[in-house]
Amino acid sequence: MSDLEARLREVVRGDVRFDVAARALVTMDASNYRRVPLGVVAPRDGDDVAAVLGVCREYGVPVVARGGGTSIAGQATGTGVVLDFTRYMNRLVSLDAEARTAVVQPGLVLDRLQEAAAPHGLRFGPDPSTHSRCTLGGMIGNNSCGSHSVAWGTTADSVRELGVITARGERLRLGQGWAGAPEGLRALVEGELARLRTGFPELPRRISGYAVDALLPEKGADVARSFCGSEGTLGVLTEAVVRLVEAPRARALAVLAYAAESAAAEAAAGLLPYGPLTVEGMAADLVPSTAGLPRGGAWLFVETGGETEAEARARAEAVVRAADVVDSLVVTDPGGQQALWRIREDASGTATRMPDGSEAWPGWEDCAVPPERLGAYLRDFRQLLTSHGLRGTPYGHFGDGCIHVRIDFDLLSEAGVGRFRRFSEELADVVVAHGGSLSGEHGDGQARAELLPKMYGAEMVALFERVKGVWDPDDLLNPGMLVRPAPLDANLRFSVLPREPVDVAFGYPADGGDFSAAVRRCVGVAKCRTTSVSGTAVMCPSFRATGEEEHSTRGRARLLHEMLAGELVTDGWRSVEVRDALDLCLSCKGCRSDCPVEVDMATYKAEFLYHHYEGRRRPAAHYSMGWLPVWLRWVSRTRTAWLVNLLASVRPLAAFAKRLGGIAPERGIPRLATVTFTRWYGRRARAQERRKIRETGLEYEEESGRPVLLWPDTFTEYLSPDVGKAAVRVLEAAGLSPVPIPKLSRGRVCCGLTYLSTGQLDRARAVLRDTLDRFGVLLAPGAGEGTLPFIVLEPSCAAALRTDLPELLHDDPRAARLAASVLTFAEALEKYAPDWVPPSLNRPVTGQTHCHQHAVLGDGADRRLREAAGLAGELAGGCCGLAGNFGFETGHYEVSARCAEDQLLPAVREAPEGAVVLADGFSCRTQLEQLGGVQGRHLAEVLAEGLDEGPHEG
């Protein structure tokens, strides 16, 4: 333990961590920069903050305040001590609805404030796209804005008072007037009045530099306002009084389509007289073709408000009439608006990939110009991109003249970094020529502070340095930001990564086979740190259960980054820190769909475990549950399922078996089926003298129905054959002829799921190759892709076949052919029995969309099938928490139960009487039974029951 760490532990009541993992988690924010801190402190209150500042001043160590870590200019990174306010100083202290104010701590997430204000008809005006995880302290530090700034301004417009501790320990209460200002600030301002009155451009999104002009006497010497946007360089915020605004009772969203980006940009300023709440812009190169937007090449999202839906719609329609558009759409349904807004909010992540999949980076993320100059600026911007051979996808706050963009800079090579610098310098000149600000929302940080003389001139920048000297004469707080900045091309996060591809097992096709590129996908926007999910979203269940950064997708990606860098995490694949962070990853694959850049932490975890345990003894659970198909097959062959069930019912024997197998003592051991699914089918087929099936293909009579192949996954085969039986009945009722695959292949087949989830990739590869071999000519070249319907009833097994199989056996073309042939139960009915009408059940449903269904397979066909059967209601999101082997492993029970309580169990408890509890996954059904005492059922079982019972009354 260092002297600094020991001293901090003596005086701080909060958490003091100088370990490798804690430091690795905060080396980066959402920018291009990386700095390795000495340690991280989570203060409990202002006294802790003052104590940290005192010790760090004594040792000459810098201090960096950090909120959600979503800053895009590098200002949330540092080499000294990082203050993490999200753990303890994260409360809403009070809310005064009558005065329309709230008292907040710096670590409070914006959405928590919005939730508390909503019942009073109030809200906090600024709302960045990261509202579900950014903190009020970070918003004040960066003077954040968001999509509603045309109506409610920047964070500085919403600040009333600030409680601040200076680097020398002085506690100040900042507001309007000089009463709470540090000594010397007033004299400095009064000596520079002329410069302050003429040296700042007038535009709504001027964020760059210090807002010293807010201290002018004609502006009321607003010290609190001038502190906003100072990026933690002047003092440490401990509390804030913020203003709330009245939220409109109803909203409408007008989506205006234009032929091109320039037309949308030039039209934006003309819509401001109509009093919109937002005027946001996006171009077609950033929007998925399936987004459901009106036809066009660029769009403005214009939100209007009103006392009633009709009033809001009327205002939106007035905007449409005033606009010269190619096409338009007005949406008043909240769900429809939310879906459209999600496209815009995810842009900060989706923009990090160009349409061809190549990487794009921030750095010139949010320049702003006067709104009426936006069209001209964008043309010059595009021209500059072309001249440097670069590409970018602008979007953002068109109504405020603020543009966000990620650019495909090469930040890995010396030549690429040189071009990054030249482009930055030239773009700064373009922005200034249009009367703009280098930063229009995210702050200067390291990305732009070096170029502030271009915007303000040398004398004004020197004045900024004097302001810094008044507040922080020892340069203790976030040095290198705003004044005396580090070069914009120093400390780049990519410089420490290996230049040659790392030897890995998976193919990583979307990243050119490069594991480093896969890890680089995480840019730090931290959508995985959202503490509540909406709809069927899944990511990130372990973070919501623990609240720990290391158990978020971003945290794990940071540790993998540091593992590859080898500077802080020095033992590579053997790293205990990385192993421990990945230990609570449920492999739910939620990040594969919910993360804007499609980080696939389940695959990264499997890859890491494969290397980590290579040549070493594994945890017992990897043998007991990783090899589950082998053990269950052996039980089936020996016809001893009844004996296993009997022994498992004897508590001492069950406890011994669980201890031996690394299974959580709280878990019950599921009962095995005494008759497997395929054995049942064989008996049934013989009794009915079913048609013969050749090894080389299929022969069938037309009247027998279209043959479809049922994949006998381990769970359906040995643990829940009733699901398979029900599927056979429903498929036959739909006019199909289902046949279990073992009747067609040369023996048993396996998707390899349990080996994949435990990182036994050599074994998974062998099992999957053997599976492909067993299909013979059915997967040979020329057999056609997607023509053989393999119906997989267990969603996790279907996901493994559709994605993990071709990514692991990327050198075997048969893998892609099999993956293209995999269908879920609902997809098979929709594709091969489109005219079949399911039984009319007319019942409410509850439960949870399987996480792999959501992330990999999609649930559109399931939704349509439920609707056709009269099964009404939405399924919850999140993850059940069992997640295959995860929830059964020793040490995971508590987190597993918390995950279930996040969405699934509350949804079941709150369901109307008589609701059907749907759970297509064996894990989900097991979790429901063991934690909720509820019997969940596969959709096939519910439909099969309906075939017997006939239509229900609604």
Side-chain angles (χ1 to χ4, degrees), residues 252-256 258 267 270-276 302-305 309-325 328-332:
L253 179 61
V255 183
L256 311 179
Y258 295 85
L271 302 178
L272 297 179
Y274 293 89
V302 184
E303 186 180 70
T304 58
E309 180 181 312
E311 184 180 345
R313 174 179 279 278
R315 289 176 177 172
E317 290 172 344
V319 169
V320 172
R321 289 193 297 271
D324 183 14
V325 297
S328 64
L329 174 70
V330 174
V331 181
T332 55

Side-chain angles (χ1 to χ4, degrees), residues 722-730 825 829 836 838-847 865-867 869-872 875 914-920 925 935-952:
D722 285 346
V723 170
K725 297 174 188 178
V728 168
R729 290 202 57 219
V730 174
F825 173 71
L829 285 170
W836 178 65
S840 181
L841 301 176
N842 298 321
R843 294 177 65 182
V845 295
T846 187
L865 180 56
R866 294 199 304 267
E867 182 179 351
L871 294 171
L875 301 187
V916 177
V917 181
L918 286 178
D920 280 2
R925 295 193 296 273
Q935 186 67 47
R937 289 185 292 168
H938 194 285
L939 180 57
E941 294 180 286
V942 178
L943 293 177
E945 181 183 281
L947 293 174
D948 294 329
E949 298 179 359
H952 286 69

Side-chain angles (χ1 to χ4, degrees), residues 96-320:
D96 187 334
E98 186 175 343
R100 295 184 181 177
T101 60
V103 181
V104 302
Q105 292 185 321
L108 178 68
V109 170
L110 175 58
D111 270 4
R112 304 291 80 76
L113 174 58
Q114 304 289 39
E115 290 165 1
H120 305 284
L122 302 173
R123 57 164 289 145
F124 188 69
D127 56 345
S129 60
T130 55
H131 54 83
S132 62
R133 59 271 191 197
C134 71
T135 65
L136 270 295
M139 293 179 67
I140 291 168
N142 288 346
N143 194 11
S144 299
C145 307
S147 60
H148 289 87
S149 59
V150 293
W152 297 314
T154 71
T155 297
D157 294 309
S158 295
V159 164
R160 287 290 170 264
E161 295 181 11
L162 299 176
V164 169
I165 302 179
T166 69
R168 290 191 172 178
E170 188 178 4
R171 302 192 188 214
L172 305 177
R173 194 74 180 179
L174 311 180
Q176 196 164 32
W178 295 108
E183 186 178 353
L185 184 62
R186 181 174 185 174
L188 187 155
V189 168
E190 290 178 347
E192 297 286 351
L193 293 178
R195 191 182 310 282
L196 295 179
R197 288 183 172 124
T198 59
F200 292 87
E202 287 295 328
L203 69 162
R205 286 294 195 95
R206 190 246 305 158
I207 304 298
S208 283
Y210 290 133
V212 194
D213 59 324
L215 299 174
L216 286 167
E218 59 267 31
K219 296 184 178 181
D222 196 335
V223 182
R225 185 184 186 92
S226 74
F227 187 88
C228 295
S230 59
E231 302 180 16
T233 61
L234 303 182
V236 178
L237 179 73
T238 58
E239 192 175 86
V241 180
V242 297
R243 177 176 68 97
L244 304 175
V245 298
E246 186 175 355
R249 293 179 182 274
R251 301 184 192 214
L253 179 61
V255 183
L256 311 179
Y258 295 85
E261 173 189 84
S262 59
E266 289 170 350
L271 302 178
L272 297 179
Y274 293 89
L277 302 176
T278 66
V279 183
E280 299 288 289
M282 299 180 73
D285 49 8
L286 193 61
V287 180
S289 59
T290 58
L293 297 171
R295 59 187 177 86
W299 298 268
L300 292 180
F301 287 44
V302 184
E303 186 180 70
T304 58
E307 284 295 307
T308 65
E309 180 181 312
E311 184 180 345
R313 174 179 279 278
R315 289 176 177 172
E317 290 172 344
V319 169
V320 172

Side-chain angles (χ1 to χ4, degrees), residues 61 96 130 204 322 370 422-423 447 452 566 579 585 626 702 781 856 909 919:
V61 171
D96 187 334
T130 55
R422 291 191 299 274
F423 175 86
L452 283 177
R579 181 202 67 195
C585 171
E702 284 295 330
V856 175
R909 293 190 197 107

Side-chain angles (χ1 to χ4, degrees), residues 690-691 700-708 732 734-738:
R690 305 293 286 177
R691 67 194 178 283
Y700 61 97
E701 302 292 335
E702 284 295 330
E703 60 268 20
S704 300
R706 170 58 156 106
V708 291
E732 288 179 341
L736 303 176
S737 185

